Amino acid sequence: MQAPLDLRPVGYLHPDATSLVARVQREYVERYGSPDESPVDPALFDPPEGLFLVGYDGADPVATGAWRRSPVHALGGSSAVEVKRMFVVPERRGRGFARAVLAELESTAAAAGHDLVVLETGLKQPEAIALYLSEGYVEIPGFGFYAGYPLSRCFGKRIAAAG
C-alpha cells in the first residue's frame, strides 16, 4: 500500500512552493500559451486568512494547493475562500494526490469558519474539471481576473463551516 501524501502548510514563498508554482506556470504556458497572469499577493495565503500546502511523497515535493478569502457570493454561501495553485507534478498524477489536497483545503477552510469554496480553471485542463465535478463542485458565474475569458470556467461548492 502506498504511503499517503504528507501535506504541510508552508508560506507561499517557501522554496518547495515556489519551485512547484514555477512548474505549474510552465504547464499553463504549454496548455494556454502564457502563464497565469492573475495577481497573487503571497501574504493572502498566510493563516488565518489563507493557507498554502505542499504535498510530499516521501521526501519529494509533488503537489500544491492553497486557499485565500474571497469576496465571491454564490450558492447561498456567506463566507467564501478561493482555491488556487492546485497542482500535482505530471510524473506523480493518477495516485489521488490532487483529491487529497482538495479534501484538506476544504477541511481547513471549514475549520476556519468558511462555508463556500470557489475556484477558476480552464477548458484546457479537463482533468481538473473532472476532479472538481466528481467532488461535488458546480459551475458558477465567472469571477476574478479571467471572468469573461472564453476558456475560463468557475466552480463552487458549499461546505459545512465549523463552529
Side-chain angles (χ1 to χ4, degrees), residues 82-152:
E82 180 184 7
V83 166
K84 297 290 290 180
R85 300 297 181 246
M86 282 287 300
F87 178 69
V88 175
V89 296
E91 60 272 21
R92 304 288 174 93
R93 291 181 183 160
R95 300 180 187 189
F97 291 163
R99 201 171 298 277
V101 171
L102 187 60
E104 183 67 9
L105 293 174
E106 291 175 1
S107 174
T108 55
H114 303 288
D115 64 357
L116 174 66
V117 177
V118 298
L119 58 91
E120 185 273 335
T121 190
L123 291 179
K124 292 187 178 184
Q125 295 167 266
E127 317 92 320
I129 291 172
L131 168 68
Y132 300 134
L133 292 174
S134 76
E135 289 295 323
Y137 285 76
V138 296
E139 197 162 344
I140 62 172
F143 65 87
F145 187 81
Y146 290 105
Y149 277 59
L151 294 177
S152 175

Side-chain angles (χ1 to χ4, degrees), residues 9-12 42-52 67 112:
V10 301
Y12 191 93
L44 295 179
F45 296 96
D46 291 342
E49 300 300 310
L51 179 70
F52 196 99
W67 61 259

Side-chain angles (χ1 to χ4, degrees), residues 1-8 54-60 62-63 92 95-101 104:
M1 183 173 137
Q2 179 177 326
L5 189 64
D6 177 16
L7 292 168
R8 301 178 200 166
V54 170
Y56 294 86
D57 184 15
D60 300 328
V62 299
R92 304 288 174 93
R95 300 180 187 189
F97 291 163
R99 201 171 298 277
V101 171
E104 183 67 9

